[in-house]
Amino acid sequence: MNMFLHELKVNRKSTIIWTLSLVAIAVLFLSIFPTIEREGEEFKKVLASYPEGVLKAVGVQIDSITSFLGFYSYVFLYIMLCGAIQGMNLGMGVLSKEIIGKTAEFLLTKPVARKEILISKALAVVTSLLITNIVFMGAAALMANIVAKESIDYQVFFMISATNFFVQLMFASFGFLLSVLVSRIKSVLPLSLSTVFAFFILYMFGSVIGEKAVRYLTPFKYFDLGYIIRHSGYEAKYIIIGSIFIVATVAVSFIVFTKKDIHTV
């Protein structure tokens, strides 16, 4: 428990900054919606002038862009991108910072099993992400209530918003695994950014070519926000695959970490 609380304290500043950043992005984008709603037909004409491939790559659906949920789903793609960076950063940082700071050897001399160390750190990451998403959802819902004139299906709204947490968990678990497998990570942020953007570029590429196989390769494709709006639900297949990925990466991380030699110098 002490280690868990310590990790929360260590991640507190980062969690606050990321939470405020996601809220700020949502407020900034959603504040534009009244103008788009008012100039709906003209805005659609402007979008129609762009190549179809470009629109698919950036996640724009012309038919629904002037409705609140349609616009929110477009905005949310980029909120999810930022959220993924936060998840990757947290997942990779909880272990690699001990190596970078040369405190891993000291930590492992304590009368605490390695599994307990990993569990405490993993729970702290999940808790930090939960806090971020709870605050974000509350702020986004408040903003939605302010800017939207139409009646909002809040069930769908929160289902869209909740996808951020699931995607963050996938990237956090992947970052967790990388921090165990890669012996020397000198700086977490550059590797987190490059990894997340590589998956996002893969998402854009898959959207343009319409290749269904790409959906299995990038977490950004696991949730079709348009599908959520139309069906008020998730695609169960991708929830299952994503859950298996999270469990598998965390399990491998535990196995490798409990057996590997930790070198700090």
Side-chain angles (χ1 to χ4, degrees):
M1 178 60 73
N2 288 337
M3 195 175 302
F4 168 72
L5 294 175
H6 172 72
E7 284 298 323
L8 280 182
K9 185 177 180 180
V10 170
N11 294 330
R12 179 177 58 191
K13 183 178 179 181
S14 171
T15 302
I16 292 173
I17 291 174
W18 278 107
T19 301
L20 293 178
S21 298
L22 293 183
V23 169
I25 293 171
V27 170
L28 177 63
F29 274 101
L30 292 181
S31 63
I32 302 172
F33 177 70
T35 302
I36 291 177
E37 186 179 36
R38 187 171 57 250
E39 304 293 337
E41 293 305 316
E42 292 299 320
F43 186 63
K44 286 182 178 180
K45 289 179 182 179
V46 172
L47 290 178
S49 65
Y50 287 89
E52 184 179 355
V54 173
L55 297 178
K56 288 182 177 179
V58 297
V60 172
Q61 296 183 25
I62 296 179
D63 293 339
S64 62
I65 191 67
T66 55
S67 69
F68 178 80
L69 288 177
F71 180 74
Y72 182 64
S73 66
Y74 161 68
V75 169
F76 195 77
L77 175 62
Y78 299 95
I79 293 172
M80 194 159 52
L81 172 63
C82 296
I85 297 172
Q86 179 194 12
M88 187 79 184
N89 217 40
L90 276 173
M92 190 178 296
V94 287
L95 288 178
S96 59
K97 69 185 178 185
E98 306 289 356
I99 306 299
I100 296 172
K102 300 181 179 180
T103 57
E105 188 174 0
F106 171 76
L107 182 62
L108 295 177
T109 60
K110 296 293 183 180
V112 181
R114 289 192 180 190
K115 287 184 179 179
E116 292 182 46
I117 295 173
L118 283 179
I119 290 172
S120 296
K121 288 178 175 292
L123 287 177
V125 169
V126 173
T127 303
S128 296
L129 294 178
L130 268 175
I131 292 171
T132 294
N133 282 276
I134 290 171
V135 174
F136 169 80
M137 286 186 190
L142 178 62
M143 192 65 187
N145 191 52
I146 293 173
V147 303
K149 295 180 180 178
E150 65 188 87
S151 177
I152 300 173
D153 186 338
Y154 278 101
Q155 178 185 344
V156 173
F157 175 82
F158 284 117
M159 288 187 73
I160 292 173
S161 301
T163 61
N164 184 54
F165 179 63
F166 193 83
V167 170
Q168 283 182 316
L169 287 181
M170 292 186 69
F171 277 103
S173 63
F174 186 54
F176 207 56
L177 178 62
L178 283 182
S179 68
V180 171
L181 296 178
V182 181
S183 300
R184 301 285 181 177
I185 299 178
K186 294 183 179 180
S187 181
V188 171
L189 186 58
L191 185 54
S192 296
L193 287 172
S194 58
T195 302
V196 172
F197 276 110
F199 279 108
F200 191 73
I201 291 171
L202 185 60
Y203 156 82
M204 297 176 73
F205 177 72
S207 297
V208 172
I209 65 173
E211 178 55 59
K212 292 183 178 180
V214 176
R215 289 201 68 180
Y216 297 99
L217 302 178
T218 172
F220 293 109
K221 294 286 284 183
Y222 276 44
F223 295 96
D224 184 339
L225 302 182
Y227 179 93
I228 296 174
I229 293 174
R230 292 190 301 271
H231 298 90
S232 299
Y234 301 125
E235 294 173 272
K237 175 172 63 176
Y238 296 101
I239 294 289
I240 294 170
I241 294 172
S243 299
I244 292 173
F245 175 82
I246 293 170
V247 172
T249 49
V250 172
V252 172
S253 300
F254 271 61
I255 293 170
V256 173
F257 186 76
T258 53
K259 293 182 178 181
K260 74 180 295 186
D261 293 326
I262 304 297
H263 302 288
T264 60
V265 294

